[in-house]
Amino acid sequence: MIRNLLHILEHVRNIIDRVHREALVPPLYSFLYLGLTRPNKAVSLPKPSSDGKIYILIIVLCLFAGCADKTTNDGTLQEIFFDEEAELRNDAPSYEFIPLETGEENLLGDIAFTIVVNNKIIVVDRYSIQVYDMHGKFISRVGSRGQGPGEYLIPQDVWVDKAAQTILIHGANYKLSVYDLNTYQYLFSKSTPGSFTSFSLLSDGSYAWYCSAGFKNDDSIYQISITDSLQRVKYSYPRDYYFEVDFLFALERFQTLSDKTYFYKGQNPIVYEITSEGAKPAYKMNFGNHSFPPLDFADSHSSATALLQTSYIGIYQFFQNDSFILSRYLWNGNRCYGIYNKKTRQTHRYADFQEDGIFKYASIEGATEDGHFVLSLQPDRLLEQKTIRIAELRELMETVSEDDNPIICLVKFN
């Protein structure tokens, strides 16, 4: 009990020290294109009631107390440990490769993420949103670039409302554009609480908003805000110990699993569960010998790229389904995969996901409701590989060229 209290006091002291600095550690390097459109000033929000302020304070204190003991106050924080020394498994995952059709009207760049819904694959790259069937045949674009109705500057975030059968697009233009999920036609636009980085529609109809620069309210900075459908603030989550760490721009994403919403930031070891009542830690990522950088790392290094040359975690991705958690993380120039079995709480290691494996240069793009993870493979990178152990992929590579659209891979672990 005393040690936990001391940990909390030290935790608070660190935060106070950083508040007294003239400025927070600035973002130094745009690691992903999404960082190009993030706001650099705090966004003002409507003021919550005095009862809300008290509620926020109680929640924050509870979260501090929970983190001190590596568990929340209700015992739900689970540490996810990726064992890099685990033995390679003899069995192989199941793979399904889907080459996306290539044409003049649907050329893709690097994929940002995908959503598999209604037996369709919604693919989001830097400038467009495209829909393919499960065989890779191109169906349609969703919207187009511009600043008029039904247009977006950059598709920074996309969400599917299955109940309403609509697609919601955050196009870096201070609004959500809404499209029909079946016809892909523009319907209308919705207002937003100013500039934001990422958003989610919660199961009760509320919205969760994340802003890397923060939402400003009563001279305080909050990074996650929960609003109702009319944008009235229900809850705000302040900057915390980990949210201040931002040496590299990371992909911040909300995700859903079984009607629950989660949020992670690629340099924050905590994955949060988000509800209309607030945010609470759900998982703590543990990459073994590779820890996250200390808060003062940027103070002693002139370049953020220095982080990628250390044993610290530079950035990670997080995806999950009912049975597994899949993470891709970088340290000292190494690209590694962490595959965690939720039921056995053990790490799975497969040859194809090692440093010399075929998925070395793949990106995790999403997860499906039927237990698959979605990865993308660039044909030009694959054609450089001397050895491809997967027979189905080896045969497929005889029919593609380096200028073709990416290949989607659906992976299911055993």
Side-chain angles (χ1 to χ4, degrees):
M1 179 68 179
I2 296 297
R3 183 163 61 178
N4 287 348
L5 180 59
L6 291 174
H7 185 95
I8 295 170
L9 292 175
E10 177 67 15
H11 190 82
V12 173
R13 185 186 69 79
N14 289 337
I15 295 176
I16 292 174
D17 287 344
R18 290 186 60 82
V19 169
H20 280 289
R21 297 182 184 182
E22 291 185 1
L24 293 175
V25 177
L28 300 175
Y29 180 71
S30 181
F31 189 78
L32 293 177
Y33 79 86
L34 295 174
L36 297 175
T37 60
R38 67 179 61 220
N40 55 19
K41 293 183 179 179
V43 180
S44 297
L45 287 176
K47 295 182 178 180
S49 65
S50 58
D51 291 342
K53 296 176 185 177
I54 296 173
Y55 177 70
I56 292 169
L57 178 60
I58 293 173
I59 292 294
V60 172
L61 291 176
C62 289
L63 290 176
F64 282 163
C67 289
D69 194 32
K70 294 187 178 181
T71 181
T72 58
N73 56 348
D74 60 359
T76 57
L77 179 63
Q78 181 182 347
E79 187 169 63
I80 307 301
F81 175 69
F82 295 105
D83 181 8
E84 293 182 342
E85 303 300 323
E87 292 186 6
L88 289 176
R89 295 178 64 92
N90 294 323
D91 58 335
S94 62
Y95 302 113
E96 180 181 354
F97 296 98
I98 306 172
L100 298 179
E101 180 183 357
T102 304
E104 292 185 2
E105 63 175 332
N106 67 307
L107 290 175
L108 287 165
D110 289 335
I111 295 176
F113 57 91
T114 65
I115 302 171
V116 178
V117 61
N118 292 359
N119 286 319
K120 303 290 190 300
I121 306 172
I122 300 175
V123 180
V124 182
D125 74 355
R126 182 169 184 173
Y127 298 114
S128 67
I129 302 168
Q130 303 181 20
V131 184
Y132 296 80
D133 68 17
M134 296 305 294
H135 299 289
K137 182 177 177 55
F138 174 69
I139 297 175
S140 175
R141 282 177 173 259
V142 182
S144 59
R145 295 190 70 193
Q147 300 188 51
E151 297 178 333
Y152 43 79
L153 297 176
I154 293 176
Q156 188 162 333
D157 204 0
V158 179
W159 203 262
V160 170
D161 183 350
K162 289 184 288 187
Q165 290 291 288
T166 56
I167 303 171
L168 290 76
I169 299 174
H170 164 32
N173 50 3
Y174 302 95
K175 64 182 179 182
L176 292 181
S177 297
V178 183
Y179 298 79
D180 188 287
L181 180 58
N182 300 297
T183 65
Y184 316 114
Q185 298 300 307
Y186 171 71
L187 300 176
F188 56 89
S189 294
K190 297 174 66 72
S191 62
T192 69
S195 181
F196 62 97
T197 310
S198 185
F199 79 100
S200 170
L201 180 62
L202 305 182
S203 59
D204 69 346
S206 302
Y207 286 83
W209 312 89
Y210 169 79
C211 182
S212 57
F215 301 102
K216 188 175 182 180
N217 192 353
D218 270 349
D219 296 325
S220 298
I221 303 297
Y222 301 95
Q223 293 207 263
I224 291 181
S225 179
I226 311 297
T227 69
D228 62 16
S229 59
L230 299 178
Q231 309 308 326
R232 293 175 297 196
V233 177
K234 301 169 65 175
Y235 170 85
S236 296
Y237 187 85
R239 287 183 184 271
D240 70 4
Y241 181 80
Y242 292 111
F243 272 126
E244 293 188 12
V245 181
D246 200 10
F247 304 122
L248 303 172
F249 277 136
L251 176 62
E252 304 103 346
R253 282 280 293 163
F254 290 96
Q255 300 177 9
T256 58
L257 177 65
S258 302
D259 291 328
K260 291 184 177 181
T261 299
Y262 298 85
F263 177 84
Y264 86 99
K265 179 177 179 179
Q267 291 163 335
N268 179 348
I270 305 300
V271 177
Y272 297 84
E273 181 182 346
I274 308 295
T275 70
S276 59
E277 303 298 324
K280 68 175 182 179
Y283 301 115
K284 181 176 182 180
M285 307 296 280
N286 184 335
F287 295 100
N289 295 329
H290 312 294
S291 60
F292 288 82
L295 289 177
D296 60 357
F297 182 90
D299 295 339
S300 56
H301 294 78
S302 60
S303 172
T305 56
L307 176 60
L308 298 179
Q309 299 170 1
T310 71
S311 62
Y312 291 126
I313 296 297
I315 193 171
Y316 77 92
Q317 292 178 288
F318 171 90
F319 292 92
Q320 64 173 330
N321 57 35
D322 289 331
S323 301
F324 286 89
I325 290 174
L326 176 61
S327 179
R328 184 172 183 259
Y329 56 100
L330 276 65
W331 64 274
N332 197 22
N334 297 295
R335 301 172 176 87
C336 302
Y337 284 92
I339 304 166
Y340 182 85
N341 188 317
K342 290 182 177 180
K343 297 177 181 178
T344 64
R345 299 197 174 187
Q346 293 180 340
T347 298
H348 285 207
R349 293 180 68 235
Y350 300 93
D352 291 322
F353 285 86
Q354 301 310 303
E355 186 66 17
D356 61 344
I358 196 64
F359 294 105
K360 176 180 179 179
Y361 294 108
S363 294
I364 312 172
E365 311 298 356
T368 68
E369 293 181 343
D370 63 357
H372 289 86
F373 290 100
V374 185
L375 281 71
S376 68
L377 298 160
Q378 294 291 345
D380 57 342
R381 293 278 183 88
L382 286 173
L383 291 170
E384 295 174 357
Q385 298 293 317
K386 296 180 179 179
T387 303
I388 297 180
R389 288 185 284 255
I390 305 171
E392 181 182 353
L393 181 59
R394 193 164 56 243
E395 295 175 3
L396 177 61
M397 293 312 299
E398 296 177 358
T399 65
V400 301
S401 69
E402 62 180 13
D403 296 324
D404 283 350
N405 274 340
I407 298 171
I408 295 294
C409 178
L410 302 181
V411 182
K412 195 167 189 176
F413 299 113
N414 304 311

